[in-house]
Amino acid sequence: MRILYSHRIQSRDGQAVHVEELIRALRAAGHEVLVVGPGFYEEAEFGGESKLIAVARKLLPGALWELAELGYAGLAYIKLLRAYRQFRPDFIYERCNLYHLAGSLLARWHGAVMLLEVNSPLAAERQKHGGLKLFRLAQWLEQFTWGSAAMVLPVTAVLGDSVAAAGVARDKIQVVPNGINLASFPDVRAEKPEGAPITLGFVGFVRPWHGLDLVIAGMAAEPRAVELVVVGDGPVRADLQAQAAELGLGDRVRFTGIVPPEQVAEIVAGFDIALQPMATPYASPLKIFDYMAAGAAIVAPDQPNIREILGHLRNAVLFDPAEPAMMWSAVSWLIEDAALRVKLGAAARADLVACDYTWDGNAGRVVGAATKVLAARAG
């Protein structure tokens, strides 16, 4: 198929991994994909964003910045329309972004078939965490975008419920969770030398509510040799490093900083216990699929979106997110029980393979959904 991929990603981060891996998988399956997105996305390094965009966001007042985003939607529409007329795709695949209306306008004004990937309720999320000023306008436009799609592809069933509550018919919603490039991970875990420390691991942007301070505090009281590897960076890195030094754990808590995606698999493969300390209630965390592919024993919060992928004592140990201290109890249990670590890690890898939580699998799901829509329209 000929697929016109539309996005408005401004920075090369976890979003970029999703975008680029899905495009790779679609092309590997033999589909022709034309990508239309901001030129400044290509200029940004992994872990960063365009300097021009960063400066503009800092200087412009909140409401004015949001109006500028909306103004950019007009330019994005013209760019996508030009590509649509020249490329003549079978369908448009768009990654939903606040104030990104290009695919929606093509669908409504030109009859284009659009599949819309939805990763979060962006208006509500940005109002809570990013100080969204024009909330009512943003929410209306978000729901306009959802309603313009021939098929909406949320990453979790929890998020799908939000889309349905906004008026999108259930038969136009298909859950497509995040995934992994399984080829990056070895089939068999390497055996550790006798007496080697147990490695706890975390991948991602480190925020205060992740509770890694509780993990470090637990390590200080743990009689067994345990180390913590944090793949990423974040606002509490310095505080966690200071805490580790104060507790005499400075050499056992290591931050790698931002690591290119192709290097993450090698590091995660060394985790014995992988941490998903907290998660937003609608997310499909990329790190969970990394952990599953690596065959690590996973500790994660017991909440609906996580239970879509993980089950307590089936392929992970889940703890009550209302009691963050329970996370260390779960970690401590796995430190003591090597057999359980091996069992859960193997089950997690097997479940990932069985359910095909991969980008190649997702490419098949996307094309399958598009095929149904196109067949219905032809009929």
Side-chain angles (χ1 to χ4, degrees), residues 169 184 235 342:
S184 302
V342 172

Side-chain angles (χ1 to χ4, degrees), residues 2-6 80-81 84 89-95 102-107 112-116 151 366 370:
R2 295 166 69 83
I3 304 167
L4 184 57
Y5 192 111
S6 168
L80 191 65
L81 175 61
Y84 179 75
D90 294 295
F91 68 94
I92 297 170
Y93 183 92
E94 185 163 273
R95 181 183 172 98
S104 301
L105 297 179
L106 271 173
V113 173
M114 180 181 71
L115 272 64
L116 185 70
M151 187 71 74
V366 167

Side-chain angles (χ1 to χ4, degrees), residues 301-315:
D302 188 1
Q303 57 192 57
N305 60 321
I306 300 301
R307 289 196 300 271
E308 292 179 31
I309 305 296
L310 302 176
H312 183 56
L313 296 186
R314 186 186 83 235
N315 55 16

Side-chain angles (χ1 to χ4, degrees), residues 5 12-29 33 35 41 46 93 95 117 178-185 260-265 286 290 358-364:
Y5 192 111
R12 301 182 71 86
D13 49 19
Q15 301 176 86
V17 173
H18 193 153
V19 169
E20 293 173 9
E21 282 291 349
L22 183 57
I23 291 169
R24 176 203 58 76
L26 288 166
R27 287 172 173 164
V33 183
V35 183
Y41 167 78
F46 187 77
Y93 183 92
R95 181 183 172 98
E117 172 195 313
N178 281 327
I180 193 71
N181 184 349
L182 196 56
S184 302
F185 291 83
E262 61 272 14
Q263 296 178 18
V264 170
L286 281 167
D290 285 329
T358 65
W359 297 118
D360 292 333
N362 283 354

Side-chain angles (χ1 to χ4, degrees), residues 115-194:
L115 272 64
L116 185 70
E117 172 195 313
V118 178
N119 291 272
S120 65
L122 287 164
E125 182 180 75
R126 194 158 147 188
Q127 183 189 41
K128 182 177 180 180
H129 300 292
L132 186 68
K133 302 300 182 183
L134 306 176
F135 173 70
R136 290 187 181 277
L137 174 63
Q139 186 180 52
W140 184 86
L141 289 173
E142 179 176 55
Q143 294 178 1
F144 171 86
T145 302
W146 293 351
S148 301
M151 187 71 74
V152 179
L153 309 177
V155 292
T156 63
V158 172
L159 186 54
D161 290 341
S162 296
V163 174
V168 177
R170 286 282 181 180
D171 61 358
K172 292 178 61 177
I173 299 172
Q174 179 177 327
V175 176
V176 179
N178 281 327
I180 193 71
N181 184 349
L182 196 56
S184 302
F185 291 83
D187 292 337
V188 180
R189 289 179 62 83
E191 291 189 13
K192 283 196 167 186
E194 187 71 25

Side-chain angles (χ1 to χ4, degrees), residues 202 209-212 214-215 273-279 288 291 297-307 310-313 316-334 344:
F202 172 88
W209 46 266
H210 278 145
L212 290 181
L214 300 176
V215 174
I273 302 171
L275 308 176
Q276 171 70 61
M278 296 291 172
I288 283 181
Y291 299 162
I298 302 170
V299 172
D302 188 1
Q303 57 192 57
N305 60 321
I306 300 301
R307 289 196 300 271
L310 302 176
H312 183 56
L313 296 186
V317 175
L318 304 183
F319 65 91
D320 183 353
E323 299 186 34
M326 294 298 292
M327 177 176 61
W328 178 254
S329 297
V331 172
S332 181
W333 181 11
L334 287 171
L344 294 178

